[in-house]
Amino acid sequence: MENPIRINVFKNGDHSKSCVLSLSKSSSFSELMETMACKLDISTVQIMYNKQGARVLDVDVLRDDDTVYVGSSLTELFAGCNGLARTRNQDFITLNIGGVHVTTTKDTLTKKEPGSMLATMFSQSEDNQWFSRVDQTGAYLIDRPAKYFLPILNYLRHGQLIIDESVNPAGVLEEAKFFGITSIQPRLEQLVQLNVKPTDYTPLTRHQISLSLMTTPSNCELRCQGLNFSGADLSKLDLRNINFKYANLSDTNLAGANLSHVNFERADLSNSCLDGANMMAVKLVCAQLEGASMKGCNFEDPSGSRANMEGANLKEVNLEGSHMAGVNLRVATLKNSNLRNCDLRGAILAGSNLENCDLSGCDLLDANLRGANLEGCAFAMMLSALHMSQTLKS
């Protein structure tokens, strides 16, 4: 004789009505439904779901200690108590998003982003109870566009952001902001930027210049005059001999790049990072470098070619530890810049503005400082004494 199994039965939406039944496999499905109706003191049981949300249609699929939810109709099963879809935290609920019905669980809506509006709306806390109007099936009515909400729901389900090509990421971003799903917003903002149609003034990317570099010999001049690379990551690339004259490279990352013999004449490199870059024989005539970081750069060319930075704006630039022997900085502006421990032997600084510069630990042997403004400069731990021919302008 087969051993009976035990099942836990709840009337959906009213957990005060529940029971534990002993079920024999020989029982028919209709007999089971009648027994449930009698034990729960309801008129009839017409529909049954398990806790995974699947409808139960046969006694044979039930296992020992299973939990099922019953109702007299599909409407009652979803509507629950007092017309609201009240279920336990792990139970399935239905949302009506702009006319589209979606079934999910409270765990999905509350666990990944507990501080979001969605989590607050479906929280079990009495302080955060949210009562929404429901449609005729008992689904929560939410007046938002479904095509933008569904990618967010899938993200809450499995943690991956997947957006169909036909869906604009900007719409999904607005829904994420509306519902307070913060963890997904940075990625959506990136997608929105990538989705913007490029114009003639759209900044070029690392990928685009990398493709050009792969098809151009290193000894040939790649013409990038006047182009916009603002904000691009060009770090550690071999950019030798490229013509960046008049180009916009503000906020660009050029750290560790090979910039030998590059022409940056009148280019905008403000607030860029050039730390550790190789800048032998670079041309920076009248270039805009204000606020740039150029720590540890190498300007010395063994062949004797000099870097030319004449008339460049180097205000508040960090050049600490750079090798700048022989560099031409005639009439350049270096006000408030950091030149600590720089090698400036033989550098041409005639007429330059070095006001409030930190020249501590610099080697200025044979440097030309005629007419330079050295007011407020720091000269601590100089490696060589300044000669009278290198007199300052005060």
Side-chain angles (χ1 to χ4, degrees):
M1 180 177 179
E2 292 184 354
N3 293 327
I5 63 172
R6 184 180 67 178
I7 60 172
N8 307 299
V9 184
F10 292 88
K11 182 180 184 297
N12 192 70
D14 185 2
H15 290 170
S16 65
K17 292 188 176 183
S18 62
C19 65
V20 179
L21 292 182
S22 178
L23 174 66
S24 170
K25 287 294 185 180
S26 61
S27 301
S28 68
F29 190 70
S30 59
E31 289 174 341
L32 174 61
M33 301 288 255
E34 290 176 4
T35 301
M36 288 178 174
C38 179
K39 294 293 185 181
L40 296 175
D41 193 25
I42 57 178
S43 58
T44 181
V45 171
Q46 297 291 337
I47 191 164
M48 183 193 321
Y49 277 81
N50 64 16
K51 64 181 180 180
Q52 284 76 35
R55 186 172 179 179
V56 178
L57 298 172
D58 197 317
V59 173
D60 291 337
V61 302
L62 295 173
R63 298 291 181 267
D64 191 39
D65 208 31
D66 270 357
T67 299
V68 296
Y69 302 89
V70 300
S72 58
S73 66
L74 181 63
T75 300
E76 179 185 307
L77 190 70
F78 282 108
C81 181
N82 298 326
L84 296 175
R86 299 179 180 271
T87 61
R88 293 190 311 167
N89 197 44
Q90 293 184 348
D91 291 344
F92 281 77
I93 60 173
T94 300
L95 309 176
N96 183 338
I97 310 292
V100 177
H101 284 74
V102 180
T103 301
T104 185
T105 67
K106 284 190 177 180
D107 277 356
T108 296
L109 299 174
T110 59
K111 280 194 171 181
K112 191 173 184 65
E113 291 272 355
S116 68
M117 180 192 292
L118 278 177
T120 302
M121 288 162 63
F122 295 97
S123 171
Q124 292 292 91
S125 170
E126 293 184 1
D127 295 334
N128 292 325
Q129 283 189 353
W130 173 74
F131 298 95
S132 169
R133 295 181 65 87
V134 295
D135 63 15
Q136 63 273 20
T137 68
Y140 287 108
L141 288 164
I142 299 178
D143 186 22
R144 304 299 294 181
K147 72 174 182 177
Y148 297 135
F149 176 80
L150 291 178
I152 295 174
L153 179 60
N154 287 330
Y155 169 75
L156 294 175
R157 284 167 169 161
H158 49 61
Q160 299 295 319
L161 177 59
I162 301 172
I163 302 178
D164 291 340
E165 292 183 359
S166 59
V167 177
N168 191 332
V172 182
L173 176 59
E174 287 305 310
E175 294 308 297
K177 290 179 178 178
F178 179 82
F179 288 107
I181 311 299
T182 57
S183 61
I184 201 177
Q185 291 180 27
R187 175 62 179 148
L188 285 168
E189 288 169 353
Q190 292 177 354
L191 291 176
V192 170
Q193 290 298 319
L194 292 173
N195 203 44
V196 174
K197 292 183 179 180
T199 67
D200 291 342
Y201 301 99
T202 300
L204 299 175
T205 64
R206 181 186 182 92
H207 176 70
Q208 290 169 314
I209 196 168
S210 294
L211 292 176
S212 298
L213 290 172
M214 287 188 289
T215 57
T216 306
S218 60
N219 60 346
C220 293
E221 183 183 280
L222 184 62
R223 293 184 295 277
C224 295
Q225 182 169 327
L227 297 183
N228 185 3
F229 296 92
S230 178
D233 181 5
L234 306 180
S235 60
K236 299 181 180 179
L237 292 180
D238 186 354
L239 303 172
R240 285 175 292 172
N241 302 303
I242 295 181
N243 179 9
F244 285 114
K245 187 176 182 179
Y246 296 110
N248 181 2
L249 292 127
S250 59
D251 300 295
T252 301
N253 183 6
L254 290 157
N258 188 349
L259 304 173
S260 300
H261 301 276
V262 168
N263 183 4
F264 286 118
E265 184 178 349
R266 300 183 185 278
D268 183 358
L269 288 139
S270 55
N271 300 307
S272 292
C273 178
L274 296 96
D275 294 344
N278 190 352
M279 306 186 73
M280 294 189 299
V282 70
K283 188 175 183 181
L284 284 157
V285 176
C286 297
Q288 172 62 260
L289 288 138
E290 184 170 353
S293 179
M294 303 175 73
K295 294 183 290 185
C297 290
N298 178 33
F299 292 85
E300 296 183 42
D301 187 352
S303 66
S305 299
R306 292 190 175 194
N308 188 356
M309 304 168 74
E310 184 171 345
N313 180 5
L314 294 152
K315 290 171 64 176
E316 299 181 358
V317 169
N318 189 351
L319 284 154
E320 184 172 353
S322 292
H323 301 280
M324 305 176 70
V327 169
N328 180 6
L329 286 161
R330 190 188 303 274
V331 299
T333 300
L334 293 108
K335 186 176 180 180
N336 300 319
S337 292
N338 179 6
L339 284 83
R340 292 173 63 90
N341 303 315
C342 285
D343 183 357
L344 289 160
R345 290 172 299 161
I348 303 172
L349 291 155
S352 60
N353 184 0
L354 296 162
E355 184 179 349
N356 297 324
C357 280
D358 188 351
L359 294 163
S360 301
C362 283
D363 188 351
L364 288 161
L365 182 65
D366 296 326
N368 181 356
L369 290 161
R370 290 186 179 89
N373 180 7
L374 296 169
E375 184 177 352
C377 285
F379 292 103
M381 301 175 64
M382 297 289 292
L383 298 184
S384 57
L386 293 178
H387 298 287
M388 293 301 295
S389 60
Q390 298 171 272
T391 54
L392 59 86
K393 178 183 178 181
S394 59

